[in-house]
Each structure stands twice: as C-alpha cells, then as structure tokens.
Amino acid sequence: MPATDIFEGWDYERDLEVGARFEIDFDRAAAQLGIPLDQLSMALVLKAGTGSGKIPRRMDRIQTRKLVPSAPEFEVRAVVTGSRLSGRLLLEAGIVLDAEPASPGALSPAMPGARLWTDRKDILLEDGGTARFPLETISFASAFAGQPHASAPWYVHWRSGLLDADFGGAVRVYVNADYTELCERFVAGDPATVQAVLGDVMSQMIENVVSMPDCDDALEDCVAGSVGDQVRNWLDMAFPGQSLNKIRAEMTGAPGRFRATIMAAAQVGEGE
C-alpha cells in the first residue's frame, strides 16, 4: 500500500517490506549531466533510517541496483527488520554515479558515488501520531556483549538531570530478546510483566528526580512532553496531592513502601 506519514498500529515485532517504483529517462539524464549516454553508469541506493529525533539514529543501506537503459522502469523491494526500528522509518532513495565517465563535460560529476538525485519519505511509526512509550526489544547478548548488564531482563537508558529533554528522545527502554518468554509476555501486553517493567522505569526516574535539590522549581518549568513533565505526571499518579517534601521523606524513610506505591501506580489493564 502507498506509504503514509503515519503507520498506524505499529508493532516492533513485525518486519516491514518496503518498495518503490522508478522510471528513469536515460537520454534526458545524460543530456543534463553532460555525459555521453554510453558512458553514463548509475546505481540506485535505497536506505532505511530510524530513530526518534529529526536526525535518524542509524541509517542502513538495504538495496542497491545498477541502472541500465534497457530497463528504464523498475521496482526495488527490501525487508526492514522491525526489532531494529524505533520511532520512525526514514526511507531514502538516491541515484549515484556508478563509474567515472571517460569524457565528462566540464561541469559533469565524475567521481564514482557522486549523488545525482535523492528523495525521502519520513514515516512515523506510532499510533495516530501520539508518542508511545519508547522501547525496543533487542538481543542483549549481541548489543551489550561484555557489559555488566548483558544478562539483565531489561535496561532503561537515560541520563539524569535532563528534565527539559524530550521524553521520547531522551529515554529508551530495552527489553532483552534473549529472554524469549519475557519478550513474548511483554509484547502480548501481559499486565504483570508490563507493570514490572513500567514500575521499574518509574521508580528509577522518580527517585533520581526527587533526590535533586532543586527539583521543585525544575519540575514547575518543564514543558509538556519533556522528561520532567512525565515524571511530574507519574508523581501525581503515585502520590496524589502530596508535596515533594513528603514524597522525599517517604523515599528515604520507607523505601520499600515507596517502591511498592510506585509499582502499584504502574498497574495497567489487559492489553494496554
């Protein structure tokens, strides 16, 4: 189906097959580039990028095709692994010079790899444009080989102190795909599994923020969608109507009950 700006109902466990159709006017291209047609060698490169921000976190070449005048109309297709995607899918199709022409014009591109044309399609991989909780399922044995958390069931990647940062771009939860049963339960929305992971994320971030000496003022200034705004919402869920001083006292005086309270606030319904 034609690509739209938003891919509804995205599931990170699904791979995506992408494709694009092209029609090349070789005579016109040769004339505009100032390269004799029999010396014009071009290739099409299809790339797929992903990441939550405007600049893709990673960009992979997924298809390369040498262009020949005998096949001016063609289609390229490739599979993008779902587990390697997050936030958005950026597809970039480009035509590059594939070989140095023998007698190029004075202003003609001559270096192999020179970009002759490019186009992009940016697709939001979310539900209706509303940001989902930023998470990925990946193999920790591969992604974090040799690191202390390589055998952890999940890992919350974020940096403390960045309360003004966009939550979707600053926080990412990795679920260890090596734990097959855990992954299956999480993807299926098993309430207890989701509650355990979400409760841990909430605890980590709430405890860190509440421990900041100036968190009262910092949380007041956070805009919607920021890390601070999300933590403030979690505080309201877990400790409605309580002051930060009281929450801080609960954290230091009764850490077990404090954690359990947050865990209870992370309860989700079936399929949420």
Side-chain angles (χ1 to χ4, degrees), residues 23-43 67 69 72 95-97 105 107-109 116-117:
E23 181 177 356
I24 309 295
D25 187 334
F26 283 86
D27 291 327
R28 188 177 179 186
Q32 293 188 345
L33 294 170
I35 299 175
L37 180 59
D38 59 353
Q39 298 178 20
L40 180 57
S41 179
M42 301 186 294
L67 305 183
I95 295 178
V96 299
L97 195 65
L107 300 178
S108 300
L116 307 178
W117 172 88

Side-chain angles (χ1 to χ4, degrees), residues 14 126 191 238 247:
R14 295 169 54 191
E126 307 287 0
I247 295 172

Side-chain angles (χ1 to χ4, degrees), residues 10-265:
W10 170 238
D11 183 343
Y12 288 86
E13 289 297 301
R14 295 169 54 191
D15 295 338
L16 284 181
E17 183 178 14
V18 298
R21 297 186 181 90
F22 298 89
E23 181 177 356
I24 309 295
D25 187 334
F26 283 86
D27 291 327
R28 188 177 179 186
Q32 293 188 345
L33 294 170
I35 299 175
L37 180 59
D38 59 353
Q39 298 178 20
L40 180 57
S41 179
M42 301 186 294
L44 182 131
V45 177
L46 185 62
K47 297 180 180 178
T50 192
S52 55
K54 293 182 179 179
I55 300 175
R57 177 169 51 84
R58 59 177 300 151
M59 200 79 179
D60 298 319
R61 179 181 295 204
I62 57 174
Q63 187 68 261
T64 301
R65 179 190 178 105
K66 186 175 179 60
L67 305 183
V68 292
S70 59
E73 297 182 33
F74 60 92
E75 180 178 353
V76 294
R77 307 190 72 83
V79 174
V80 182
T81 305
S83 61
R84 299 174 70 87
L85 294 173
S86 70
R88 64 195 330 112
L89 170 63
L90 178 64
L91 291 174
E92 179 184 291
I95 295 178
V96 299
L97 195 65
D98 196 39
E100 182 177 358
S103 53
L107 300 178
S108 300
M111 183 178 295
R115 181 179 298 179
L116 307 178
W117 172 88
T118 188
D119 195 15
R120 286 185 165 195
K121 180 64 181 179
D122 198 0
I123 303 169
L124 187 64
L125 298 175
E126 307 287 0
D127 290 331
T130 302
R132 292 177 63 178
F133 199 79
L135 62 87
E136 294 183 44
T137 57
I138 60 173
S139 167
F140 281 27
S142 299
F144 306 122
Q147 299 186 43
H149 56 289
S151 60
W154 62 81
Y155 162 49
V156 187
H157 174 77
W158 68 292
R159 293 180 60 188
S160 64
L162 302 177
L163 299 185
D164 291 332
D166 175 73
F167 182 82
V171 180
R172 187 146 301 274
V173 179
Y174 297 98
V175 179
N176 193 343
D178 302 324
Y179 290 80
T180 307
E181 185 176 353
L182 168 70
C183 255
E184 290 176 351
R185 288 182 177 180
F186 192 84
V187 172
D190 173 65
T193 306
V194 174
Q195 184 176 9
V197 176
L198 179 58
D200 182 53
V201 177
M202 292 170 61
S203 291
Q204 287 191 40
M205 301 188 71
I206 287 176
E207 289 176 29
N208 182 275
V209 172
V210 170
S211 299
M212 296 169 57
D214 57 347
C215 75
D216 305 59
D217 294 336
L219 289 177
E220 286 293 326
D221 296 335
C222 289
V223 300
S226 65
V227 170
D229 177 62
Q230 184 59 63
V231 172
R232 188 170 53 203
N233 290 334
W234 285 338
L235 284 168
D236 291 339
M237 287 171 53
F239 307 98
Q242 297 187 34
S243 69
L244 284 172
N245 283 335
K246 187 173 181 179
I247 295 172
R248 195 175 293 116
E250 177 83 357
M251 181 179 70
T252 55
R257 188 172 58 194
F258 175 82
R259 283 281 186 92
T261 301
I262 295 174
M263 194 67 72

